[in-house]
Amino acid sequence: MNDFLAARSQMALSLGFHIVFSCIGMVMPFFMAVAHFLYIRTGNDIYKNITRAWSKGVAIFFATGAVSGTVLSFELGLLWPEFMKHAGPIFGMPFSLEGTAFFIEAIALGFFLYGWGRFNQWFHWITGVVVGISGLVSGILVVAANAWMNSPAGFDFVNGQYLNIDPIKAMFNDAWFSQALHMCIAAFAATGFAVAGIHALMILRRRNIAFHTTAFRIPALFACIAAVLQPLSGDISAKDVARRQPAKLAAMEAHFKTEAASPLVIGGIPDPVAKEVKYGVEIPGLLSFMVYSDFHTPVKGLDQIPENDQPPVAITHYAFQIMVGLGMIMLGIALCYFVALIRKKSWLRMPWLLRLFVIATPMGFIAVEAGWTVTEVGRQPWIINGVMRTADAVTPMPGIAYSFYIFTAVYISLSLIVTFLLYRQIRMVPEIYDIQTPSL
């Protein structure tokens, strides 16, 4: 493995690991705050127990996310010094503000964890809400920095120099809103289905039925609402990508040839040599309609993009198909759940509905990982789209491959530790709430 590939692999591993904790840190505090609010309003101790159980999970993921996020911040400078040399002064503001949001989140979480019986109950609840809001803001700010890499703004690039720097314009670049919206909704869907799936599994196993049934409802509702909204945000993102990064869109869709009534390809195996997709299902004109709201307008294909500026087609296309496919499955589960809530109350007592949520437990996070693969791999060969190539930003320091191996071992160890802590936390749910309930 050469140093360039090792640097990219280490960054991909770190991002892939950290994004799971980021999503949970953005969303789980809101589940916790809703349960806490219901406890204050109803006095039902099950809601209190749910709140305290979830708050311990939030603490676990906060600590792990803080470690993985700190590693990422160092890796930006160590692995990509040329990038940070020029980009740091331009897009450094969202990272600085993210640090402020992180400190607020840490303080609020400390108040919440140790505030039981010490604070006014509504002040205590507000500290939990602040944890959620600051975590969400933190995530949005990081996404804004990443969006700048896809849509660079806030500077003039003249003769290799970065001039007239405007950090505010850089932070609020053309891509930040669509990326932040898509990421936030994805975080709610992924975390919601994961948490709901775990509680659904416990219900099916007949463990602490009242506790898990009550806990199931909160993340399930959040997840299903997010799953319905996600295709809408995806449409906004796709139209934005078509306008700013046509090469990425062409790779996502394995769209090799520019033509009128551009077809949408579902599935298939891209063949970059033959410039075709084998075994895919083509729907004529649908890609043109999705991008331009017209069935005949040509969508720019890879044939109009220089080969050395084209992203890896196969990886981008497969990742995009995985993301969309899992999104559609989660949308189907969400629609079933809403039908059950509104029209078919009897479905709420059916084990098959719970099994659907159990099956969906990992789907949201797999879709998130696939989506970030599309975002990052689809931008290649650029680290700053159209301005700086990734190969020009990597560190000249040798031995990066060994660093990649070490970090891989560290992240695997952290994953095992977090899994053990969560398993132990789930097993510690008190048996006092093991009351049979007839429905969800």
Side-chain angles (χ1 to χ4, degrees), residues 82-159:
E82 192 66 22
F83 167 71
M84 291 304 295
K85 173 184 174 182
H86 298 290
I90 305 172
F91 83 147
M93 178 172 286
F95 280 123
S96 299
L97 294 175
E98 191 273 337
T100 302
F102 173 80
F103 285 125
I104 294 172
E105 183 181 6
I107 294 168
L109 181 60
F111 279 152
F112 187 83
L113 292 175
Y114 296 101
W116 290 98
R118 295 179 175 88
F119 297 143
N120 172 276
Q121 61 181 1
W122 287 110
F123 176 79
H124 187 209
W125 174 75
I126 288 172
T127 62
V129 174
V130 171
V131 174
I133 293 174
S134 56
L136 192 64
V137 170
S138 180
I140 290 172
L141 289 167
V142 171
V143 171
N146 179 267
W148 178 83
M149 298 165 69
N150 290 311
S151 180
F155 66 97
D156 294 324
F157 188 64
V158 181
N159 297 325

Side-chain angles (χ1 to χ4, degrees), residues 11-242:
M11 200 72 189
L13 175 70
S14 301
L15 279 168
F17 186 85
H18 179 69
I19 197 171
V20 174
F21 301 110
S22 297
C23 288
I24 296 172
M26 290 165 64
V27 174
M28 197 70 192
F30 288 104
F31 299 169
M32 179 184 74
V34 170
H36 193 194
F37 175 81
L38 293 172
Y39 165 65
I40 294 173
R41 290 296 303 270
T42 66
N44 188 336
D45 280 342
I46 293 183
Y47 286 120
K48 179 181 180 181
N49 201 52
I50 292 170
T51 305
R52 301 194 74 157
W54 282 349
S55 67
K56 292 177 182 177
V58 169
I60 291 170
F61 284 111
F62 177 83
T64 313
V67 173
S68 59
T70 302
V71 169
L72 271 172
S73 65
F74 282 111
E75 284 180 342
L76 281 172
L78 292 173
L79 299 178
W80 314 103
E82 192 66 22
F83 167 71
M84 291 304 295
K85 173 184 174 182
H86 298 290
I90 305 172
F91 83 147
M93 178 172 286
F95 280 123
S96 299
L97 294 175
E98 191 273 337
T100 302
F102 173 80
F103 285 125
I104 294 172
E105 183 181 6
I107 294 168
L109 181 60
F111 279 152
F112 187 83
L113 292 175
Y114 296 101
W116 290 98
R118 295 179 175 88
F119 297 143
N120 172 276
Q121 61 181 1
W122 287 110
F123 176 79
H124 187 209
W125 174 75
I126 288 172
T127 62
V129 174
V130 171
V131 174
I133 293 174
S134 56
L136 192 64
V137 170
S138 180
I140 290 172
L141 289 167
V142 171
V143 171
N146 179 267
W148 178 83
M149 298 165 69
N150 290 311
S151 180
F155 66 97
D156 294 324
F157 188 64
V158 181
N159 297 325
Q161 299 295 316
Y162 297 77
L163 308 174
N164 303 321
I165 294 173
D166 184 347
I168 299 295
K169 188 176 180 180
M171 184 167 65
F172 296 108
N173 56 80
D174 290 342
W176 85 269
F177 176 76
S178 60
Q179 277 197 215
L181 177 66
H182 197 58
M183 184 65 230
C184 288
I185 296 176
F188 274 95
T191 307
F193 274 109
V195 176
I198 292 171
H199 289 294
L201 180 62
M202 294 298 104
I203 297 168
L204 289 171
R205 291 182 175 179
R206 314 299 293 176
R207 295 180 181 174
N208 310 310
I209 303 260
F211 174 90
H212 290 294
T213 298
T214 305
F216 169 84
R217 296 190 189 109
I218 297 171
L221 188 58
F222 273 98
C224 291
I225 293 173
V228 172
L229 295 176
Q230 189 67 313
L232 302 177
S233 72
D235 181 65
I236 294 172
S237 295
K239 284 182 168 61
D240 183 63
V241 168

Side-chain angles (χ1 to χ4, degrees), residues 184-372:
C184 288
I185 296 176
F188 274 95
T191 307
F193 274 109
V195 176
I198 292 171
H199 289 294
L201 180 62
M202 294 298 104
I203 297 168
L204 289 171
R205 291 182 175 179
R206 314 299 293 176
R207 295 180 181 174
N208 310 310
I209 303 260
F211 174 90
H212 290 294
T213 298
T214 305
F216 169 84
R217 296 190 189 109
I218 297 171
L221 188 58
F222 273 98
C224 291
I225 293 173
V228 172
L229 295 176
Q230 189 67 313
L232 302 177
S233 72
D235 181 65
I236 294 172
S237 295
K239 284 182 168 61
D240 183 63
V241 168
R243 178 174 58 86
R244 292 180 300 94
Q245 295 177 286
K248 177 184 286 188
L249 180 72
M252 288 162 53
E253 301 289 352
H255 184 53
F256 289 101
K257 183 180 178 181
T258 304
E259 58 185 337
S262 299
L264 178 71
V265 179
I266 300 176
I269 301 175
D271 185 346
V273 177
K275 309 297 183 185
E276 64 179 8
V277 179
K278 299 178 180 178
Y279 315 114
V281 177
E282 290 190 0
I283 304 176
L286 188 55
L287 182 60
S288 294
F289 179 77
M290 293 174 69
V291 174
Y292 298 113
S293 300
D294 178 85
F295 284 101
H296 301 287
T297 303
V299 176
K300 188 174 184 179
L302 291 166
D303 58 341
Q304 293 191 11
I305 298 165
E307 285 197 14
N308 63 341
D309 291 342
Q310 294 180 12
V313 177
I315 295 175
T316 308
H317 179 69
Y318 293 143
F320 181 67
Q321 294 288 309
I322 290 170
M323 179 187 69
V324 173
L326 292 177
M328 291 299 100
I329 293 173
M330 289 186 286
L331 174 60
I333 295 172
L335 294 177
C336 287
Y337 188 63
F338 285 132
V339 169
L341 287 176
I342 298 170
R343 299 293 299 274
K344 298 285 187 178
K345 299 290 185 182
S346 60
W347 288 7
L348 296 174
R349 296 187 292 271
M350 300 296 180
W352 63 263
L353 184 62
L354 290 172
R355 291 193 183 100
L356 288 178
F357 279 91
V358 173
I359 293 170
T361 300
M363 286 185 182
F365 287 116
I366 295 173
V368 167
E369 298 285 4
W372 273 99

